[in-house]
Amino acid sequence: MNADNPPHAGSARSEAEELLASAGWDLSPSRHLHHKEVLMQQIDNRTASAPAPRRRRLRPALVLPVASMALAGALVTTLSGGGHGSPPAAGSSTAPAKATTAIVTLDRIAAAAMKTDVTAVGDGQFVYVESLTRGNKGHFDGPVKLGALHRSEVWTAQTPGPVTRTGWLRETGEDAVMPGEEVPIESTDPVRVGIDRPTYKWLASLPTDPGALLELLYSRTKVVEGESRDQAVFGTVGDLLRSTIMPPATASALYKAVERIPGVTESPDAVDAAGRHGIGITREDAGSATRDEWIFDRDTLTYLGSRSYMTKDKARGITTDTLYGIDAVMERAVVDRHGEEPARTDG
């Protein structure tokens, strides 16, 4: 018998597949792009001894919804507070050379975003995002083991009022869960438009002054236990960059707001899941022992994808940066119904 599939794992996985379609989800749809790999890790650990409390938010392997955590066993990650906290004041810290370089690059990215031609998304439409992704398939308290690269498609609904069904997802390829099937993204309670369900119209309503925008993000972002608020906000912006279509003025303001988050630096070379090289904007968090990185095209400065690392974990034998998640956004489009893919032209 495979040690990774203990007795009763099959029935647990069947139960999990039902929950994927009907569980109550308490985080934004963008934070569930890779939730299935994490859920399966939890199921694989059910017959083992109780794991030690998990102290970090895993990106892109994201925090589990409440109902899924009940299925998987003990709660291993908690959210702290109600989003309280204040953003850093502009110029409040001395920027090292790498941070200064990041500010210059973010200014360039913001200027490029402002010039982007974006199609507004209507209330009855969907934002379609196709990605290539790899996530951690190892046990929570064991070594990191990256799964196979596979395709992920997400259709995010733009309905203005509170809804329980916020979108749909479909994955194909090795290590995809329920491959080829459209799985509804649902919540037991209606989810309002906002930071947990960022529609195009909501994004367009945000302040475009970087200071005011950063203050809003700090006040509304949930924080995982052990993670700094700065890292949580950095992660929230990363979720938006990965999963939405944004008005140019909003995108530009977000990049300028990120310049004010302490600890943001630049990586001269970063590679996404599709093998594309670009410039990295990164932040390391000592409390959660993680580092998140966004990757941008060197020439166009468009967003390509992201990487997430564990930076140290004595229990797992991690002493240096260890990649545990990577993705690449291959397509974004506005479509009229879920399951619809944008028209593609060859050449």
Side-chain angles (χ1 to χ4, degrees), residues 69-127:
M69 288 188 287
L71 162 67
L75 174 64
V76 292
T77 304
T78 58
L79 296 177
S80 66
H84 301 294
S86 300
S92 60
S93 61
T94 302
K98 286 186 178 180
T100 302
T101 303
I103 290 172
V104 172
T105 300
L106 283 164
D107 268 339
R108 294 174 56 219
I109 295 171
M114 196 67 185
K115 299 175 183 177
T116 304
D117 185 15
V118 174
T119 301
V121 193
D123 290 348
Q125 294 181 302
F126 291 80
V127 169

Side-chain angles (χ1 to χ4, degrees), residues 137-225:
K137 302 292 290 184
H139 292 297
F140 279 115
D141 295 320
V144 172
K145 180 182 178 182
L146 282 179
L149 185 69
H150 59 275
R151 182 188 186 208
S152 173
E153 299 170 280
V154 176
W155 292 265
T156 303
Q158 301 295 297
T159 311
V163 297
T164 55
R165 180 169 294 177
T166 58
W168 299 75
L169 65 84
R170 179 173 66 199
E171 290 196 338
T172 52
E174 186 180 352
D175 280 340
V177 176
M178 301 175 68
E181 295 187 32
E182 289 179 31
V183 180
I185 301 173
E186 296 184 326
S187 172
T188 53
D189 298 317
V191 183
R192 295 181 179 275
V193 168
I195 201 164
D196 291 333
R197 190 164 77 83
T199 62
Y200 184 89
K201 282 191 174 180
W202 180 79
L203 290 165
S205 74
L206 295 178
T208 54
D209 173 77
L213 180 57
L214 191 62
E215 184 175 356
L216 182 147
L217 291 170
Y218 270 80
S219 67
R220 299 188 186 182
T221 295
K222 299 182 180 75
V223 181
V224 172
E225 184 179 356

Side-chain angles (χ1 to χ4, degrees), residues 28 40 66 82 118 128 151 157 172-173 236 285 325 335 347:
S28 65
M40 293 310 171
V66 172
V118 174
Y128 170 86
R151 182 188 186 208
T172 52
T236 293
D285 191 53
V335 297

Side-chain angles (χ1 to χ4, degrees), residues 300-311:
T300 65
L301 299 175
T302 56
Y303 178 88
L304 296 179
S306 68
R307 302 190 294 193
S308 294
Y309 294 86
M310 293 182 185
T311 56

